[in-house]
Amino acid sequence: MRTHRVLTTLGCALSAVLATAWTTTTPAPRPATEVRTDDGVVRGNAHDGYRTFEGIPYAAPPKGDLRWAPPRPAAPWRGVRDATGPASACPQTAGEVPGGSTDEDCLHLNVTAPDGAETAHPRPVIVWLHGGGFTTGAGSSYDAHRMAIRGDVVVVTVNYRLGALGFLAHDNLPGSGTFGLADQQAALRWVRAEIGAFGGDAHNVTLAGESAGGYSVCAQLASPAARGLFDRAIIESGPCTGTSDHPFAPSSAPLATARAAGKDLAAKVGCAAPRDALPCLRRVALPRLLAAQATDQQPAYDTQLLPDDPAAAIAAGRYHHVPVLIGNNHDEGNGWAAGIIQAGNPVTAETWPDVVSAFFPAPGQAEAIVRAYPVHGSDGGPVFGAVIGDADFACPTARTRTLLAAQVPTWRYEFADEQASPLTPGTPPFPLGAPHASELPYLFDLGGRPRELTAAQHRLADTMIDYWTRFARTGSPNGPSSPHWSRRAVQSLASDRIAPTRTAELRHHCAFWNTL
């Protein structure tokens, strides 16, 4: 059986394949609409019931001497800036972004506002941070017009620095390990200052994200520098209590670990000499840098921006006390399990102990997991998926919810639509149920293309948008048009049922993981 790192890399590769289904389509030309910001006028597109403004700079291009520097203000412009199409994604290898990107001029955001969003009657604002393991993704992949129109909200999607460009740490480098998080804060400051011109309420901002974007929300909750930048938080499949020994969920790393990784990267690209390592790194061509960076990227704590690991900060109550909506998917791990099996790593009763040992090498862990999650016959894939899902997502989410609910209004969901549309091409080796990221097409059109949903799934999508946007408006997802959501129970979201539920089986599994 291959090592933990190889299997994790295969899982990351699967995520990249998944993301290729999000390729942005080219929209038909639309009538223009203009808005004046403090930096200048932007011209966007007028659609049927909503307006979009894409590629608005919220910070200066982080290139040259600004590579690995905190974000600086964007330069004002004269005349009218074209905002009718997306700007470049932040540098990344091919995947969600076809062909990848090597354009460091990438700190842009996109605004979607419903028609009639006038400054006299401002709408709630949702700022969306994309996922992608802190190495891939772009705000322009998320078409938010359904959320904007149905929920009567203004939605902002954000690019932030990724990979080594976003999270490099090195000796004597201010901002080490947190440049991507600093970018997110710069975008939030832009929203506080500018969103009123687009009809948004600068005093009612919800910070939301999925996977690495969800964990970014956790980091911003724990960051003293983010105080006052948002009023509510939505965390999808990015539990704040993730750890590096559970590699499929995002997590953070101590600064010392991040600096060691930074030295390794510098050596790989020929910049090992301590005295001129940073000037040398700033001269490295982006393709070479992207090829050398590690598959896994993590924000660094023990830093000025992130003094504590978010898990520790939340456990100690040292976080911004705002209402939180948090949740995960019923079958988070199935996509990774399926990809690893398809890559030539079968999971059978005979191979199962070796598979578990690759991910849980501590003495005694593998044996305990094999006993708690036995493989019989052909059920190896779903069992493997359940281990990943419970260990990395469901149980950490439950723990995060418990910690948050002790001090702030907290609402927890489980997306459980077993018929969720697959996000990956081809036929998986077993039914995936509701795997990681499968809730996203219910909230957004990924890449501008609506997915094929059944009538029941469309109703579920509408209900989810109602919950999310009511929470953004009032701090509670409840309203007159959807089933009641109790703060004391998990809201199960599926096309055939939407109801609060208590999951005794999950509590049993989480009790097991808490003993390891």
Side-chain angles (χ1 to χ4, degrees), residues 78-89:
R78 294 182 178 180
V80 178
R81 184 184 179 96
D82 179 52
T84 60
S88 295

Side-chain angles (χ1 to χ4, degrees), residues 205-222:
V205 175
T206 296
L207 183 61
E210 184 267 345
S211 195
Y215 191 80
S216 294
V217 177
C218 298
Q220 301 301 351
L221 282 169

Side-chain angles (χ1 to χ4, degrees), residues 232-234 323-325 411 467-477:
R232 319 188 202 287
I234 298 176
V324 177
L325 188 156
W411 310 83
Y467 280 141
W468 267 235
T469 56
R470 280 198 298 261
F471 173 81
R473 179 168 282 104
T474 68
S476 168

Side-chain angles (χ1 to χ4, degrees), residues 285-314:
L286 272 176
R288 186 181 182 191
L289 192 67
L290 294 174
Q293 72 182 18
T295 301
D296 301 325
Q297 295 289 327
Q298 298 169 289
Y301 62 90
D302 297 332
T303 61
Q304 183 175 1
L305 187 144
L306 195 60
D308 298 314
D309 183 346
I314 288 172

Side-chain angles (χ1 to χ4, degrees), residues 96-411:
E96 177 179 332
V97 176
S101 173
T102 56
D103 188 352
E104 291 181 86
D105 184 2
C106 68
L107 297 186
H108 302 93
L109 51 76
N110 316 288
V111 178
T112 303
D115 276 353
E118 304 297 339
T119 57
H121 302 284
R123 268 69 169 177
V125 180
I126 296 177
V127 177
W128 179 258
L129 304 177
H130 67 78
F134 294 114
T135 57
T136 65
S140 58
S141 293
Y142 298 81
D143 180 336
H145 78 275
R146 287 187 290 117
M147 183 179 290
I149 294 173
R150 183 173 180 86
D152 197 28
V153 297
V154 176
V155 183
V156 180
T157 64
V158 179
N159 289 355
Y160 54 94
R161 278 175 283 183
L162 302 167
L165 292 172
F167 301 98
L168 176 81
H170 207 277
D171 294 343
N172 301 317
L173 176 62
S176 275
T178 60
F179 300 107
L181 299 181
D183 294 342
Q184 295 167 7
Q185 292 181 3
L188 287 167
R189 288 191 292 270
W190 184 96
V191 168
R192 286 292 204 206
E194 303 286 0
I195 203 63
F198 299 86
D201 185 350
H203 303 290
N204 187 0
V205 175
T206 296
L207 183 61
E210 184 267 345
S211 195
Y215 191 80
S216 294
V217 177
C218 298
Q220 301 301 351
L221 282 169
S223 173
R227 182 178 300 278
L229 294 181
F230 57 97
D231 307 284
R232 319 188 202 287
I234 298 176
I235 303 168
E236 299 179 29
S237 301
C240 303
T241 53
T243 58
S244 58
D245 58 344
H246 292 167
F248 292 101
S251 62
S252 55
L255 180 58
T257 300
R259 282 176 171 166
K263 288 181 179 178
D264 289 344
L265 175 67
K268 287 181 181 178
V269 297
C271 297
R275 288 188 176 180
D276 65 348
L278 289 174
C280 176
L281 282 166
R282 288 187 171 115
R283 294 192 298 267
V284 174
L286 272 176
R288 186 181 182 191
L289 192 67
L290 294 174
Q293 72 182 18
T295 301
D296 301 325
Q297 295 289 327
Q298 298 169 289
Y301 62 90
D302 297 332
T303 61
Q304 183 175 1
L305 187 144
L306 195 60
D308 298 314
D309 183 346
I314 288 172
R318 295 191 299 270
Y319 62 91
H320 307 308
H321 288 187
V322 300
V324 177
L325 188 156
I326 186 171
N328 60 276
N329 295 353
H330 186 273
D331 307 294
E332 291 275 7
N334 279 0
W336 282 292
I340 290 169
I341 290 170
Q342 287 176 313
N345 300 279
V347 179
T348 66
E350 291 73 27
T351 65
W352 182 225
D354 290 336
V355 172
V356 175
S357 295
F359 288 93
F360 300 92
Q365 280 192 337
E367 293 86 348
I369 294 168
V370 169
R371 288 194 300 271
Y373 293 81
V375 169
H376 303 290
S378 61
D379 65 350
V383 171
F384 187 18
V387 167
I388 296 172
D390 289 352
D392 291 12
F393 292 96
C395 295
T397 297
R399 170 67 172 160
T400 301
R401 183 269 187 102
T402 298
L403 293 171
L404 292 169
Q407 296 188 322
V408 300
T410 306
W411 310 83

Side-chain angles (χ1 to χ4, degrees), residues 150 459 462-467 469-470 477-485 498:
R150 183 173 180 86
R459 290 193 294 271
D462 288 346
T463 299
M464 290 174 63
I465 288 173
D466 290 345
Y467 280 141
T469 56
R470 280 198 298 261
N478 286 314
S481 61
S482 299
H484 182 75
W485 185 334
I498 302 172

